[in-house]
Amino acid sequence: MSKDKPDFDLETTVVKDHSVITGVGRNAVPPRLELVRGPEAPRVLPLCPDETVVGRSHQANICIESSLLSRRHMLIRKSGPEFRLNDLDSANGVFLNGVRVHSAGLFEGDTIQIGDVVLVFREGAG
Amino acid sequence: MSAFVRFWGTRGSIPTPGHGTRRYGGNTSCVEIRFGDTLFICDGGTGLRELGLALLARNSEGIEAHMFFSHMHWDHIQGFPFFVPAYASKNQLHVYEVDKSDTRVQRLLHGQMRSEYFPVTFADLGAEISAAFFDNGAIEVDGVTIRCLEQTHPGKSYAYSFEKEGTKVVYATDSELDLLLSNRDECAEDLSALRRLPPELVRFAADADLLIADAQYTDREYPTRVGWGHARANTVVDFAVQAQVRKCALFHHDPMQVDEAVDEKVAEGRERAARAAGSLTVFGAREGLELKL
């Protein structure tokens, strides 16, 4: 191919944009919690890649300053394609869609209540 | 005493994997109940496979489990040949029969692993698998009192209650409660009327922290499924109200119900519970959900 020609050849190039092959979209939206009720609502809270501790402690990955939260209230852990929440023996519990749970897998739109804070889980895309 | 309950399979009749059932899950009946270190497993549907893998991940030493089968229809036993702990000699499984005169559990667990059906036979399992029996409907294991109660289902099924130090869990699947209503005519005229269940059944579940019950059908679905052995979800709610249980898990979801349909069934049940007042929490059992009671 000459220098004047574009850097791909329509007859031989299969795909120019590698992001299409790998499935990593340019507009990927990461998994996150949406804080819909509670201190500083509304707010978008991105999840950490592996584990996210949510609580009122400033050491928590997601710190929400509410006296009804335990310092380390719940953990959201990514395991393969799944996100799973675990109550870290909090005083006021973790309520998933209105039911107090010890642990559970999370799905798009799940509502999580911890103390007076309401969060919605978003799976993200891309 | 706290108990932990985790759902590994919540579907009835046949496994239903797929996008439409990913939230509530497609594995058939299997529930794990733990009182301290004592492990009880209710039913061996396809959910038992993943429970087995989880047990191996949790415990590199020997696993000891007490297994209770509501009955022996496929959807409640088809996971057993895939229960990996059953293959290791360091593990112990106690498999309970309701009565010494009826050894169907052992017989059918062996039977489904005959070579015509499965490439590994029951005799090839390495774990120590022993039969255990109830004594007049009750037995005690590590301080947990377990009771059984016969239910109305084709070929018979059993409910089990597990109780220790004031914490009580009832597992009552595959039971056509709607055939037992003492006020059937009234309920046929008025779907909102309280569906009155036999006192023996109500007493069995009385004051449970958690009732897990077969709630396969909606009121709209049931008329064409009478005699199939499963209950309406709203009838289960009324059962829970009469028994004054704290939480009620609607279980054994119909294979035709995608997640949104189960959501509607649950929402209807919650409205019904709210009208009955009290503090009953109704929810749809879904795979992976774990409660601490």
Side-chain angles (χ1 to χ4, degrees):
Chain A
M1 288 184 287
S2 75
K3 291 180 183 177
D4 295 328
K5 286 191 176 177
D7 60 352
F8 67 95
D9 185 297
L10 284 172
E11 291 183 358
T12 59
T13 302
V14 177
V15 178
K16 179 172 184 281
D17 186 345
H18 290 287
S19 66
V20 174
I21 295 174
T22 61
V24 177
R26 292 190 175 127
N27 298 314
V29 180
R32 64 207 181 279
L33 297 175
E34 292 178 353
L35 195 164
V36 297
R37 197 166 83 208
E40 299 178 44
R43 190 153 64 113
V44 174
L45 306 167
L47 292 171
C48 300
D50 298 316
E51 291 187 351
T52 306
V53 174
V54 183
R56 66 178 166 78
S57 166
H58 288 279
Q59 309 303 316
N61 301 110
I62 294 178
C63 171
I64 302 174
E65 293 190 0
S66 165
S67 61
L68 296 179
L69 265 61
S70 295
R71 293 173 56 79
R72 287 167 49 91
H73 199 107
M74 73 173 175
L75 171 71
I76 295 177
R77 174 182 284 133
K78 189 169 191 299
S79 175
E82 182 188 61
F83 284 88
R84 193 167 178 82
L85 75 77
N86 291 270
D87 184 348
L88 294 174
D89 289 331
S90 65
N92 293 325
V94 177
F95 290 78
L96 178 65
N97 301 327
V99 182
R100 186 166 181 168
V101 301
H102 183 69
S103 69
L106 290 174
F107 295 92
E108 173 68 24
D110 276 342
T111 300
I112 304 164
Q113 180 162 358
I114 48 175
D116 57 345
V117 175
V118 177
L119 305 153
V120 177
F121 174 72
R122 298 295 182 196
E123 288 180 348
Chain B
M1 162 109 243
S2 292
F4 289 85
V5 176
R6 180 161 173 169
F7 297 92
W8 291 92
T10 62
R11 189 68 55 173
S13 305
I14 190 166
T16 53
H19 186 78
T21 57
R22 62 190 287 258
R23 279 196 284 120
Y24 288 96
N27 276 310
T28 64
S29 303
C30 184
V31 176
E32 172 191 7
I33 300 172
R34 302 191 311 277
F35 281 82
D37 292 331
T38 308
L39 171 63
F40 303 104
I41 300 173
C42 293
D43 279 336
T46 57
L48 183 63
R49 187 186 72 86
E50 291 194 36
L51 169 54
L53 298 176
L55 291 174
L56 292 172
R58 287 179 211 167
N59 187 354
S60 57
E61 305 298 320
I63 295 165
E64 182 176 12
H66 302 265
M67 300 191 71
F68 299 84
F69 291 88
S70 59
H71 64 309
M72 303 306 283
H73 287 160
W74 284 343
D75 53 327
H76 296 261
I77 62 171
Q78 63 199 161
F80 187 81
F82 297 91
F83 184 53
V84 177
Y87 290 81
S89 59
K90 62 184 175 181
N91 299 327
Q92 277 185 282
L93 303 182
H94 309 275
V95 180
Y96 288 80
E97 304 267 14
V98 166
D99 193 279
K100 280 184 182 171
S101 65
D102 183 355
T103 57
R104 71 176 68 187
V105 175
Q106 292 287 328
R107 192 163 37 83
L108 292 172
L109 289 181
H110 277 81
Q112 74 165 349
M113 293 180 76
R114 280 171 41 185
S115 61
E116 295 96 314
Y117 307 118
F118 199 73
V120 180
T121 67
F122 193 94
D124 294 328
L125 297 176
E128 186 184 323
I129 302 175
S130 57
F133 301 93
F134 279 78
D135 182 10
N136 283 322
I139 198 166
E140 189 166 303
V141 175
D142 295 342
V144 180
T145 302
I146 305 130
R147 294 186 176 87
C148 64
L149 181 74
E150 186 176 327
Q151 302 181 121
T152 299
H153 190 71
K156 211 177 347 183
S157 68
Y158 291 91
Y160 299 99
S161 76
F162 302 81
E163 190 167 3
K164 182 175 182 178
E165 294 174 14
T167 300
K168 179 175 176 179
V169 180
V170 174
Y171 180 76
T173 194
D174 290 63
S175 173
E176 192 164 353
L177 298 175
D178 294 279
L179 295 180
L180 305 175
L181 303 182
S182 60
N183 59 338
R184 274 183 91 171
D185 292 339
E186 178 194 1
C187 296
E189 289 288 321
D190 179 5
L191 291 177
S192 67
L194 182 70
R195 299 166 193 180
R196 301 201 174 277
L197 287 150
E200 181 191 29
L201 190 57
V202 174
R203 273 196 303 274
F204 186 81
D207 300 318
D209 294 272
L210 174 65
L211 166 66
I212 302 165
D214 174 356
Q216 184 148 342
Y217 301 130
T218 64
D219 284 352
R220 283 177 297 284
E221 291 167 338
Y222 183 66
T224 53
R225 292 156 174 82
V226 175
W228 288 23
H230 304 289
R232 292 178 286 179
N234 285 336
T235 308
V236 170
V237 171
D238 287 3
F239 174 28
V241 165
Q242 289 164 72
Q244 296 185 298
V245 308
R246 289 168 191 69
K247 289 191 176 75
C248 175
L250 304 181
F251 186 73
H252 207 265
H253 306 306
D254 190 83
M256 296 301 289
Q257 290 169 2
V258 294
D259 288 337
E260 289 71 26
V262 179
D263 287 341
E264 284 177 23
K265 184 172 71 174
V266 172
E268 219 175 285
R270 284 184 164 174
E271 282 174 33
R272 194 175 183 93
R275 284 198 300 272
S279 56
L280 172 65
T281 299
V282 174
F283 64 98
R286 77 187 209 187
E287 276 181 41
L289 193 69
E290 183 178 30
L291 308 178
K292 179 180 177 182
L293 306 174

